[in-house]
Amino acid sequence: MRWQNLLLAGIVIALVSVSGCTGDAPPTPSPAVPVIEPGQVLYIAGDVTGDGIPRGTIDTITVTLGLVPGQSPVNIEQISIVYADAIRSETLVPVEGYRGDPPQGTWGILSVTGELGGSNNRIEYEERFVLRLNPKAPLVPRQLITISITTEEGKTLTFRRISPAIIIKENNYLATV
């Protein structure tokens, strides 16, 4: 009887050991699908990142916006951007001419990918507007922020992010909350 228990235990151990070794490659992650709520006009296309001082603070936030398929073009000159953290909130104003690296308290268009036609400030289908936001107060590690982007028509795009525990010079990934 004792040898049968040892045999049974050996078989169970062998099965558990090889159960994870199937030879299959790990599944590739699917690309992130944006969450689009009814009535929403804009969505976040890609990651929200920040640039700042290594082991210090994040000074600017970069976000790429896309137009929800089937929606009418949006004039970026008519959007309103509100930044909020645990202590303060502020409405960011656009830089003069709407394009360029923004000083504190402002936002600007850094670039447009997939631009249709001539250069303009209207986001159309398949275009992506890369915006840089520069709030007056920098982000500290592990800080929760909320950003709301309101268009003339449609539902406000609101998203929450948290800054990383360790801040590097560029491309600090702001995690989804």
Side-chain angles (χ1 to χ4, degrees):
M1 187 62 126
R2 185 176 175 126
W3 67 270
Q4 292 171 336
N5 291 338
L6 288 175
L7 178 63
L8 182 61
I11 291 172
V12 170
I13 290 172
L15 288 174
V16 169
S17 297
V18 299
S19 66
C21 304
T22 61
D24 293 340
T28 56
S30 61
V33 177
V35 177
I36 300 173
E37 296 182 17
Q40 190 172 318
V41 177
L42 300 174
Y43 70 94
I44 299 172
D47 295 330
V48 177
T49 60
D51 294 342
I53 302 166
R55 292 180 178 65
T57 59
I58 293 175
D59 299 323
T60 61
I61 301 162
T62 304
V63 60
T64 303
L65 298 178
L67 182 68
V68 173
Q71 294 293 330
S72 298
V74 172
N75 186 348
I76 293 295
E77 296 176 8
Q78 301 300 317
I79 66 171
S80 171
I81 300 178
V82 176
Y83 165 89
D85 58 33
I87 300 170
R88 71 194 62 78
S89 68
E90 64 178 300
T91 300
L92 302 175
V93 296
V95 297
E96 187 174 334
Y98 296 93
R99 294 184 184 245
D101 205 11
Q104 281 189 329
T106 65
W107 64 270
I109 302 167
L110 288 184
S111 65
V112 179
T113 58
E115 191 162 21
L116 302 173
S119 180
N120 60 43
N121 293 336
R122 292 177 58 83
I123 186 167
E124 299 180 49
Y125 183 66
E126 294 189 15
E127 288 183 332
R128 303 289 182 268
F129 273 56
V130 180
L131 304 182
R132 177 156 294 155
L133 318 178
N134 191 347
K136 291 179 183 171
L139 280 75
V140 296
R142 295 188 178 121
Q143 183 174 355
L144 176 67
I145 62 167
T146 302
I147 297 172
S148 297
I149 302 175
T150 305
T151 60
E152 288 182 300
E153 299 173 3
K155 187 172 185 163
T156 298
L157 170 63
T158 300
F159 54 98
R160 299 175 72 188
R161 296 293 190 269
I162 191 164
S163 60
I166 299 173
I167 294 173
I168 57 177
K169 182 173 175 54
E170 298 174 331
N171 296 321
N172 291 282
Y173 175 74
L174 299 177
T176 303
V177 178

